[in-house]
Amino acid sequence: MSISSALEKTLTNTSIIAAIVETLGTILLGFWLRKRQTLSKDAVKTLTSITMTVALPLLAFTAFLTPLNHQTLVQSMDVLIWGLIIYVILIVTMPFLYGRYDKDQRDVLGVLTAFGSTTFFGMPIAGAVYGAKGIMYASVFNIGYRVFLYSYAYIKMSGEQLRGEHIKKMLVNPIVIATFLGLILWVSQNWMPQISISTAGKTSQVAFYRLDVTVPWLFAWMKLLAGLASPLAWLAIGANLAQMPFADAIKNRTAWYYSFNKVIIVPIIMAAIAILANATHILPVDQVAMATMVIMMATPVATVAVNYAMAFNHQSLLAANTSLISTISATVVLPLWIIIVQLLGELPVFK
């Protein structure tokens, strides 16, 4: 397929166009509502809290309530491994992008570049474009993210040793619990007690906890709440942008340079690795897995990483500026990445 035909196929894909419009439109709506004071500061915090503690955990969990497919299982394990490997690569290489800065700035910028808002920003977009499979891959990919965010990033930003309370914080996170629970139930479903389900005159055996077929009315309610994740997250992103001070951040060249690295260079690295993996048949991934990983890498700085910088007084103003500029940049650039990964999916290595 030629580049022009691949581009035409992508740009005429209604699901992709719809996902881009939904994302940008809802972010802009959140921005407008906050500027008009229709959404108060407390309301924005509530939106974020509901998204992180209810909607996103259910989004992750319900994505695993599907039949066990060998190919998807293999892909998920490959995504898990790449999710660990990519953070090792980023942790080692990102500080070199800031060689002209002093050590403290270089260390902080390196951490901020390595860790993006993959959960709050990335997962809803992956789900909007690729559905349950995108959410599944995003959830598995995020395991490596959380391991390094709550260990390496904390140690680097705080200068302290990793303590049990930080490991506990990582493990009791609702999204982490939902991901591991969903993954375990999904992988083990064929070995669990089965019940017979009749659908369209056909009888099949499913694990007793497959709520999507055993208790469809309960699953429908869970899907309804999970469906809140994207609009609530995008509203909160837009509202947060509306209450950030623009003047100083826009003038900060370092914040713009950082944002270029975060939303352009990092996803390019991820895309290159995925293409190389498929070309060499080393942990190859399919088009949806590749696209999901690239989208996750094109997100703005992680809020937790910014909070580390502020809590331990490590370049807190710089971290705040990078948060604003990278969020604006990601909002603009992510739709382009959605189109790019669709085009990359047409490469022979992903066929």
Side-chain angles (χ1 to χ4, degrees):
M1 182 181 292
S2 66
I3 294 178
S4 60
S5 59
L7 184 60
E8 181 183 359
K9 178 182 176 182
T10 300
L11 294 179
T12 55
N13 188 317
T14 55
S15 63
I16 294 173
I17 301 303
I20 292 173
V21 172
E22 289 167 3
T23 303
L24 293 180
T26 312
I27 288 174
L28 290 173
L29 177 62
F31 183 90
W32 182 73
L33 290 174
R34 182 68 186 102
K35 280 296 184 183
R36 286 178 54 87
Q37 301 297 318
T38 304
L39 279 178
S40 66
K41 188 174 183 179
D42 288 339
V44 177
K45 290 182 179 178
T46 301
L47 287 179
T48 303
S49 178
I50 293 173
T51 304
M52 297 298 289
T53 59
V54 178
L56 280 174
L58 283 173
L59 188 67
F61 179 74
T62 55
F64 289 101
L65 294 179
T66 60
L68 182 61
N69 177 282
H70 176 73
Q71 183 178 357
T72 305
L73 175 60
V74 171
Q75 287 291 291
S76 296
M77 294 304 101
D78 288 348
V79 168
L80 172 61
I81 295 171
W82 282 123
L84 294 167
I85 292 174
I86 188 62
Y87 283 104
V88 174
I89 293 173
L90 295 178
I91 286 168
V92 172
T93 60
M94 289 303 99
F96 289 104
L97 295 175
Y98 307 100
R100 62 189 177 90
Y101 294 89
D102 62 49
K103 186 179 185 304
D104 191 49
Q105 288 180 310
R106 185 166 61 249
D107 288 346
V108 170
L109 288 168
V111 170
L112 297 180
T113 308
F115 297 95
S117 183
T118 56
T119 302
F120 195 71
F121 208 103
M123 278 182 62
I125 294 177
V129 181
Y130 299 109
K133 184 177 285 189
I135 292 298
M136 183 184 297
Y137 288 152
S139 300
V140 172
F141 184 81
N142 257 354
I143 292 174
Y145 162 79
R146 294 194 175 279
V147 167
F148 288 107
L149 179 66
Y150 289 103
S151 56
Y152 169 81
Y154 175 82
I155 294 170
K156 194 69 174 177
M157 299 293 272
S158 69
E160 302 175 4
Q161 294 295 317
L162 185 66
R163 298 194 295 268
E165 62 188 80
H166 304 113
I167 298 175
K168 180 181 177 181
K169 185 177 181 180
M170 174 178 65
L171 295 177
V172 301
N173 182 291
I175 300 173
V176 173
I177 294 173
T179 298
F180 277 107
L181 179 61
L183 180 60
I184 291 170
L185 293 179
W186 179 62
V187 171
S188 61
Q189 62 181 289
N190 289 347
W191 296 276
M192 291 294 178
Q194 306 284 301
I195 61 176
S196 297
I197 297 293
S198 295
T199 307
K202 295 183 179 180
T203 302
S204 58
Q205 300 290 315
V206 298
F208 69 93
Y209 53 73
R210 278 284 304 282
L211 304 180
D212 55 318
V213 289
T214 59
V215 195
W217 50 267
L218 177 60
F219 181 73
W221 175 68
M222 295 170 68
K223 289 289 287 183
L224 175 68
L225 295 179
L228 296 174
S230 297
L232 291 185
W234 296 333
L235 282 173
I237 289 167
N240 280 317
L241 280 174
Q243 57 194 23
M244 289 181 178
F246 280 82
D248 292 336
I250 290 176
K251 298 175 185 177
N252 192 305
R253 292 184 178 181
T254 298
W256 285 104
Y257 175 61
Y258 159 83
S259 297
F260 174 79
N261 292 333
K262 184 71 194 72
V263 304
I264 301 293
I265 300 301
V266 172
I268 284 177
I269 292 172
M270 185 72 256
I273 289 174
I275 292 171
L276 181 63
N278 277 41
T280 59
H281 303 290
I282 299 174
L283 297 175
V285 294
D286 61 24
Q287 189 271 336
V288 174
M290 176 274 295
T292 299
M293 293 191 295
V294 172
I295 288 172
M296 300 287 271
M297 290 289 96
T299 53
V301 62
T303 302
V304 173
V306 174
N307 288 341
Y308 284 159
M310 293 181 173
F312 301 110
N313 198 28
H314 273 191
Q315 304 294 328
S316 56
L317 179 58
L318 176 60
N321 288 337
T322 60
S323 178
L324 172 59
I325 301 301
S326 66
T327 302
I328 295 173
S329 301
T331 301
V332 174
V333 174
L334 258 170
L336 299 178
W337 274 115
I338 293 173
I339 295 172
I340 290 170
V341 293
Q342 289 298 120
L343 296 176
L344 292 177
E346 300 295 331
L347 293 175
V349 293
F350 292 108
K351 299 300 182 182

